[in-house]
Amino acid sequence: MKKEESFERTVCKIALPITLQSLLQSSFSVVDQVMIGQLGSGSIAGIGIGGKFASLYSVVLAAIASAAGIMIAQYMGKKEEESAARSFYVNMALSIGLAAVFMVVCMAFPEAVMALYTKEKTAEILAVKYIRILAISFLPAAVNSIVTTVFRCMEAAVLPLYVSIFALALNTGLNYLFIFGKWIFPPMGVEGAALASGAAQIISCMIILFFFSIYQKKWGLKLKISWHDKKFHNAEYQKQYLKILCPLLACEFLWSLGENVYTAIYGHIGTDACAAMTMTIPVQTVVIGALCGLSQASGILAGKRLGAKQYGRAYAEAKKLMSYGLAVSIILSLLLLAVSPFYVKLYHVEPKVQEITESLLRVIAVIAPVKVLNMILGGGIIRSGGKTKYTMWIDLIGTWIFGAPLGFLAAFVWKLPMAYVYLVLSLEECIRLGISWIVFKKKVWMGSLR
């Protein structure tokens, strides 16, 4: 009985702060879009399109953070603090390099990028303005992501939560000032939303680095490790790292590329469809974010068990975590069905856009439990053993063999209404879940890093 209580307490200690932090971070987009929603459908579509390209950066960054989490969690399970520190530095360097590349693309070539997403000139112009300024947030986001991963693996997830609370309050205040032109500031619209998000990211990065400088000695992460240390150039370590990271990068990038293809489909259906889909993004993020903590906790806990070679315990705890996720996701779906008529009224948009949005929210409520299980199983448990090639193939099959082709057929051949297009696209989640469950039951995902 004591073991069961210990497990539950550990899950809560990791999952609850991560969940709250995820919900707070998703609130950035809620705040941006509700405030921008007062300016009309064109502005909403502009933020949605610009934000979709930024999501490419976010998911690749998430892949690097995921690799860091897998390695750090397993090395913590093995009690190898120096190896954990090495993983931290390698992933931090890679994240910063990634941020630099995306910043250059968004600042130098935003027109070329946004033209790929929509044929509506007004939405394209607004998206260009948004993404060019939002690019300043990429570098601090990279630092935040990797440092937060370390906090979570050390079961100190509450510290990044505090930083997120402050960042949300700051972002909300700056949104009000910059978007609508309050106090001494001129009204900046979508540019103001991007500037507020960037400023909040920069300041939160400074704060989390301050916390990290205090706690890193306690965890054995020596900030003065030399890049010339032979441990950084160990061939076996490099091979193992690439074996974990490369499938994750391929998986996350191509999955996100698929999501961008979906956005292009919505954008070419029309501005109303694109605006409606954008209005659902905060809700989707909140619903998924509510279970994000459980997903990441499952990866961390399973990784530690596998690192310690406690395979039976890792499998049993993984099944419990999936059952918890399914139960909570069903409750959230029911709540979403209840509140969706009221949510669409928050936006000052045309009745047709509100109607499309409400129908999309009903589809999202139906598919949400499947998405959550995929997130916990594929995004947490199966990855924890370091055999990330399984999740890569699962996502590639789901997105590119089923999702994207079905989306084109639904939108441009069958010419279905927007809600049915989204429903057809979402069937790929069911395919993913079926394959993931087979991989899980066969236990081929289990492994301990050398």
Side-chain angles (χ1 to χ4, degrees):
M1 184 67 181
K2 186 176 179 181
K3 274 190 175 180
E4 178 68 20
E5 290 175 352
S6 177
F7 171 70
E8 301 296 338
R9 284 198 300 270
T10 303
V11 170
C12 290
K13 187 177 179 181
I14 300 173
L16 289 180
I18 295 175
T19 295
L20 291 173
Q21 185 181 0
S22 178
L23 290 172
L24 286 169
Q25 287 174 337
S26 68
S27 298
F28 276 78
S29 62
V30 174
V31 170
D32 284 355
Q33 291 187 35
V34 169
M35 288 188 175
I36 284 293
Q38 312 309 308
L39 305 181
S41 300
S43 294
I44 295 175
I47 276 193
I49 293 167
K52 205 62 184 180
F53 180 73
S55 73
L56 272 174
Y57 166 73
S58 298
V59 297
V60 177
L61 178 61
I64 299 172
S66 181
I70 290 168
M71 302 186 82
I72 293 171
Q74 285 228 11
Y75 288 134
M76 288 297 99
K78 293 175 180 292
K79 309 297 183 185
E80 296 180 7
E81 287 78 8
E82 287 188 5
S83 296
R86 178 177 56 187
S87 297
F88 165 75
Y89 283 105
V90 170
N91 285 285
M92 178 64 80
L94 189 57
S95 298
I96 291 173
L98 174 73
V101 171
F102 270 84
M103 283 179 67
V104 170
V105 171
C106 290
M107 290 181 172
F109 314 107
E111 294 87 358
V113 173
M114 292 301 103
L116 299 173
Y117 287 86
T118 181
K119 60 186 178 181
E120 300 288 340
K121 201 63 182 176
T122 300
E124 180 188 332
I125 291 170
L126 292 171
V128 166
K129 292 180 178 180
Y130 180 74
I131 195 66
R132 182 177 277 140
I133 296 175
L134 188 68
I136 65 175
S137 70
F138 292 167
L139 182 58
V143 176
N144 282 339
S145 180
I146 302 302
V147 174
T148 295
T149 297
V150 178
F151 276 115
R152 290 171 178 174
C153 289
M154 303 301 174
E155 299 180 15
V158 71
L159 292 172
L161 170 62
Y162 295 152
V163 177
S164 290
I165 292 172
F166 172 79
L168 174 62
L170 179 63
N171 184 62
T172 302
L174 293 178
N175 263 327
Y176 178 71
L177 295 176
F178 296 161
I179 292 174
F180 303 113
K182 303 298 180 180
W183 195 31
I184 62 173
F185 301 100
M188 290 184 277
V190 295
E191 293 170 290
L195 184 59
S197 296
Q201 279 282 9
I202 291 170
I203 294 172
S204 66
C205 177
M206 295 169 63
I207 296 172
I208 203 166
L209 283 176
F210 171 75
F211 277 128
F212 183 70
S213 69
I214 294 174
Y215 283 88
Q216 56 89 19
K217 291 182 181 178
K218 175 182 175 183
W219 295 333
L221 293 174
K222 301 173 184 177
L223 291 177
K224 293 184 179 179
I225 288 179
S226 170
W227 285 103
H228 300 292
D229 190 322
K230 64 180 181 180
K231 292 177 181 177
F232 284 105
H233 308 287
N234 180 278
E236 184 179 353
Y237 172 80
Q238 292 174 356
K239 181 179 179 181
Q240 184 178 67
Y241 177 65
L242 291 174
K243 192 175 179 180
I244 292 172
L245 179 62
C246 289
L248 285 175
L249 285 173
C251 169
E252 296 291 354
F253 183 80
L254 292 174
W255 172 82
S256 182
L257 190 61
E259 290 294 307
N260 278 257
V261 168
Y262 298 167
T263 299
I265 291 172
Y266 307 144
H268 284 82
I269 290 174
T271 299
D272 287 349
C274 189
M277 197 67 220
T278 301
M279 286 166 60
T280 70
I281 290 174
V283 175
Q284 293 187 68
T285 307
V286 168
V287 171
I288 299 302
L291 278 302
C292 177
L294 200 55
S295 171
Q296 295 200 33
S298 68
I300 291 169
L301 290 174
K304 287 185 174 182
R305 301 289 180 252
L306 295 175
K309 299 187 178 180
Q310 298 174 344
Y311 301 121
R313 188 172 180 184
Y315 185 79
E317 290 178 354
K319 288 201 294 186
K320 287 182 183 179
L321 289 163
M322 282 189 287
S323 65
Y324 299 159
L326 178 60
V328 177
S329 64
I330 291 173
I331 294 171
L332 288 174
S333 290
L334 294 174
L335 287 173
L336 177 56
L337 289 172
V339 304
S340 57
F342 307 100
Y343 172 77
V344 298
K345 302 297 182 184
L346 294 174
Y347 294 86
H348 293 178
V349 295
E350 297 82 357
K352 181 181 177 182
V353 176
Q354 291 183 344
E355 182 182 344
I356 296 171
T357 304
E358 190 172 349
S359 62
L360 283 169
L361 291 174
R362 288 194 290 268
V363 177
I364 291 167
V366 171
I367 207 69
V370 181
K371 280 181 175 282
V372 167
L373 284 176
N374 276 328
M375 183 173 64
I376 293 172
L377 188 54
I381 294 166
I382 293 177
R383 291 182 178 186
S384 65
K387 299 178 181 179
T388 53
K389 63 181 180 181
Y390 291 114
T391 54
M392 178 187 73
W393 286 112
I394 290 167
D395 284 348
L396 290 182
I397 290 170
T399 300
W400 294 101
I401 302 299
F402 290 93
L406 287 174
F408 276 106
L409 287 172
F412 305 123
V413 178
W414 303 330
K415 299 186 184 300
L416 298 177
M418 181 61 189
Y420 288 100
V421 172
Y422 181 73
L423 177 61
V424 170
L425 282 170
S426 297
L427 294 177
E428 54 108 353
E429 294 284 351
C430 300
I431 301 296
R432 253 189 228 167
L433 181 58
I435 301 172
S436 296
W437 183 250
I438 293 170
V439 171
F440 175 75
K441 292 293 287 184
K442 287 182 175 293
K443 302 182 181 180
V444 293
W445 53 278
M446 291 184 171
S448 178
L449 300 182
R450 293 189 297 275

